[in-house]
Amino acid sequence: MKQNLSRTLTRLRTTFMSLTLGQRLVAVVGTGALLLAAFMVFRWVSTPNYAPLYSNLAAEDASSVVDELTAEGVPYELADGGSTIMVPRDKVYSTRITLSGQGLPANSSDGGYSILDGQDMTTSDFQEQTDFKRAMEGELTKTIEAVDGVNTAVVHLAIPEKKVFSDEQDPTTASVLLDTSAGTTMDAEKVQAIVNLVASSIDGLDPANVTVADSSGKVLSTMGAAGGVGAGTQSQAVTDFQNRKTAQIQAMLDRVLGPGNSTVQVSADLDFDRAIQESTTYSANKKVPPLSESTSKESYTGDGTAGGSTGVVGPDGQMDSTGTVSGTGSNGSSYVKESATKDNAVETTKEHREAAPGSVRSLHIGVVVDPTANPGVDAVGLKQLISATVGIDPSRGDTVDVSSIAFDRTADTAAAAELAAANKAKADAQRWSMIRNGGIAVAVLAMLLLAWLRARRGKKAREERTEYLVEQLRLDAANRAAAAAALEPAPAVAALETAEQAANDELKREVAALAERQPDEIATLLRGWLVERS
């Protein structure tokens, strides 16, 4: 075994030393690459697949869990800033059971409705209310932390005592503190979702009474704002509206005037007041018959006569028996009075209307056009086009101003020159990289070709030397056999066979010795013989 190993190592060393410098280099690099690939594959196969053991752990819980995993010899990895602990996937459940038996994690299970599990008959009303508030805060914290981008959330509830009269009841309020992930910004939709989530979870909590802030101290939603939207959100809403209008107008102008030949600025005044309007309208339908109807008629007829003497009253007519009385005879009096009363059915329409915040109070647009790129531009036509595009309403004070002012192209020219220089440098770098890679490839091919030619010439020389040595051995054996036959006084057949056997044995020993000294030449010779026989 030792001799075979030594012979194999000797053969490998002899083969390596017989190679040229390029062949040695290629052999060494190829062997190293194979060993490195084998090592990487072995490492990839042997590396365990990790899965989360616990997530959103408190700092003290994470420290306790890591200490216990280290003591147990379980490999682990930390993620999400240390709040998530990962272990091999096949050990997740067994490790959880082991840690749970030791009371870990201790603080992560606190909060939520688990607080109410410790209550009994001796619990006071104050303790019961406090535990309920803590339980709600814990459950809301867990729910908010499930939102993407939120690492940690802290919820505080202010629930006042119930009073007999509703007009004396103090409102319920809530505050939420968010710790977001690095590089994550809470947009208005997520903030509004958190506000509505908290308000819908607490009885009697108005969304306007929920305050949301982040860990940097920025208020995301303030109390008392319309719909629970804070001042920062209102500013963001105005900015978004202005950006949309600017992009709409700029896209149209770029298509008409060309990119970079105009600029647009939009200033909008939005109404965030929440208006409520209630109205009642009464109307009668003539097609519907009246609910009740009454008619009354009164008439009177008189002859105009009166009993006793009649005459002219006064000094002139006193005791005048010849006076006449008006209203007698055919001068009688009469009248007729008619009245009708109808109770019609009256339709009543009550309307309750709430104006959503965010309507446009006024819109002001300023447009500047470069006359050098667009000579003879029609400012009046552009103004009408912009007014029709965004819906300008002059009655509410909207304005559109279009001006023609030459643009300062210095920055554009410098940027274009820098871009051209960067593109040229990139193209030059790519060209030189191609030249360098091509030169290296040509050099490698030349080295391989040179090594192949040298190997071919060396192989041919070795074959010639081997053939010469074998021929010399044959001649020497023949000469020795002839000399031995000449020395015999009476040659016989047996003597000749003995001489030939000795010559063959000597030739075998010489060939064996030659194979020990020059194994490559003998191997090449044998391969050549096999090829010739085939």
Side-chain angles (χ1 to χ4, degrees), residues 121-194:
M121 297 182 60
T122 60
T123 303
S124 62
D125 183 67
F126 175 77
Q127 183 66 31
E128 182 179 354
Q129 295 297 328
T130 303
D131 291 344
F132 173 76
K133 186 179 74 169
R134 290 177 57 196
M136 293 302 299
E137 291 175 350
E139 290 297 325
L140 288 174
T141 297
K142 295 179 181 178
T143 305
I144 295 174
E145 287 177 352
V147 178
D148 292 339
V150 179
N151 284 338
T152 307
V154 179
V155 180
H156 294 290
L157 300 177
I159 305 177
E161 296 181 358
K162 296 291 183 180
K163 294 186 178 180
V164 178
F165 300 101
S166 60
D167 55 350
E168 298 179 356
Q169 180 65 42
D170 296 329
T172 302
T173 59
S175 62
V176 181
L177 180 64
L178 303 178
D179 181 18
T180 59
S181 303
T184 302
T185 303
M186 298 296 294
D187 53 12
E189 294 181 357
K190 289 186 178 180
V191 174
Q192 191 63 38
I194 293 175

Side-chain angles (χ1 to χ4, degrees), residues 347-427:
E347 295 181 355
T348 303
T349 303
K350 294 184 179 181
E351 183 179 4
H352 178 85
R353 180 176 297 178
E354 294 186 5
S359 60
V360 180
R361 289 178 178 174
S362 62
L363 190 63
H364 307 280
I365 302 174
V367 179
V368 180
V369 180
D370 188 5
T372 58
N374 298 275
V377 63
D378 186 7
V380 177
L382 284 179
K383 183 176 180 179
Q384 294 176 356
L385 182 61
I386 294 172
S387 300
T389 301
V390 298
I392 296 298
D393 187 4
S395 61
R396 65 186 182 189
D398 296 351
T399 60
V400 178
D401 186 14
V402 179
S403 303
S404 296
I405 303 175
F407 285 8
D408 184 7
R409 303 286 185 176
T410 305
D412 296 342
T413 304
E418 292 179 359
L419 182 60
N423 291 334
K424 184 177 181 301
K426 184 178 180 180

Side-chain angles (χ1 to χ4, degrees), residues 165-435:
F165 300 101
S166 60
D167 55 350
E168 298 179 356
Q169 180 65 42
D170 296 329
T172 302
T173 59
S175 62
V176 181
L177 180 64
L178 303 178
D179 181 18
T180 59
S181 303
T184 302
T185 303
M186 298 296 294
D187 53 12
E189 294 181 357
K190 289 186 178 180
V191 174
Q192 191 63 38
I194 293 175
V195 170
N196 295 335
L197 179 66
V198 175
S200 302
S201 302
I202 305 300
D203 183 22
L205 179 58
D206 190 358
N209 294 331
V210 179
T211 301
V212 181
D214 59 8
S215 57
S216 62
K218 181 180 178 181
V219 178
L220 304 178
S221 176
T222 57
M223 291 176 52
V229 180
T233 308
Q234 294 181 6
S235 302
Q236 185 64 33
V238 174
T239 302
D240 294 341
F241 178 80
Q242 295 179 164
N243 291 338
R244 289 197 304 271
K245 293 299 181 182
T246 301
Q248 181 181 3
I249 300 173
Q250 190 67 59
M252 180 189 65
L253 294 179
D254 289 344
R255 190 65 179 272
V256 175
L257 305 177
N261 297 326
S262 62
T263 181
V264 181
Q265 186 65 38
V266 177
S267 177
D269 183 13
L270 302 183
D271 185 9
F272 290 97
D273 295 337
R274 185 179 180 183
I276 300 176
Q277 181 181 0
E278 295 184 358
S279 60
T280 304
T281 303
Y282 301 95
S283 61
N285 192 351
K286 296 181 180 181
K287 297 182 180 181
V288 178
L291 300 177
S292 61
E293 183 177 2
S294 62
T295 303
S296 63
K297 183 177 181 182
E298 181 181 357
S299 63
Y300 176 77
T301 303
D303 56 1
T305 59
S309 301
T310 60
V312 178
V313 180
D316 296 336
Q318 190 172 9
M319 300 302 293
D320 187 3
S321 59
T322 61
T324 61
V325 178
S326 61
T328 61
S330 61
N331 295 330
S333 61
S334 63
Y335 74 91
V336 177
K337 179 181 179 182
E338 295 181 359
S339 64
T341 302
K342 295 182 179 180
D343 295 333
N344 295 317
V346 180
E347 295 181 355
T348 303
T349 303
K350 294 184 179 181
E351 183 179 4
H352 178 85
R353 180 176 297 178
E354 294 186 5
S359 60
V360 180
R361 289 178 178 174
S362 62
L363 190 63
H364 307 280
I365 302 174
V367 179
V368 180
V369 180
D370 188 5
T372 58
N374 298 275
V377 63
D378 186 7
V380 177
L382 284 179
K383 183 176 180 179
Q384 294 176 356
L385 182 61
I386 294 172
S387 300
T389 301
V390 298
I392 296 298
D393 187 4
S395 61
R396 65 186 182 189
D398 296 351
T399 60
V400 178
D401 186 14
V402 179
S403 303
S404 296
I405 303 175
F407 285 8
D408 184 7
R409 303 286 185 176
T410 305
D412 296 342
T413 304
E418 292 179 359
L419 182 60
N423 291 334
K424 184 177 181 301
K426 184 178 180 180
D428 294 341
Q430 291 179 352
R431 188 182 305 109
W432 283 110
S433 177
M434 292 177 61
I435 293 174

Side-chain angles (χ1 to χ4, degrees), residues 454-519:
R454 288 184 177 180
R456 185 176 180 182
R457 287 197 297 267
K459 179 180 179 182
K460 186 175 182 181
R462 287 193 299 271
E463 290 178 354
E464 292 177 354
R465 290 196 303 268
T466 304
E467 291 178 358
Y468 175 76
L469 293 173
V470 172
E471 187 65 26
Q472 291 296 326
L473 290 175
R474 288 178 180 176
L475 292 176
D476 292 343
N479 292 333
R480 285 194 296 270
L487 293 175
E488 291 290 337
V493 178
L496 290 175
E497 292 179 357
T498 304
E500 290 179 1
Q501 183 67 31
N504 290 335
D505 294 339
E506 183 65 21
L507 180 61
K508 290 181 180 180
R509 286 193 296 271
E510 292 292 339
V511 171
L514 181 61
E516 290 291 338
R517 293 193 303 270
Q518 297 179 347

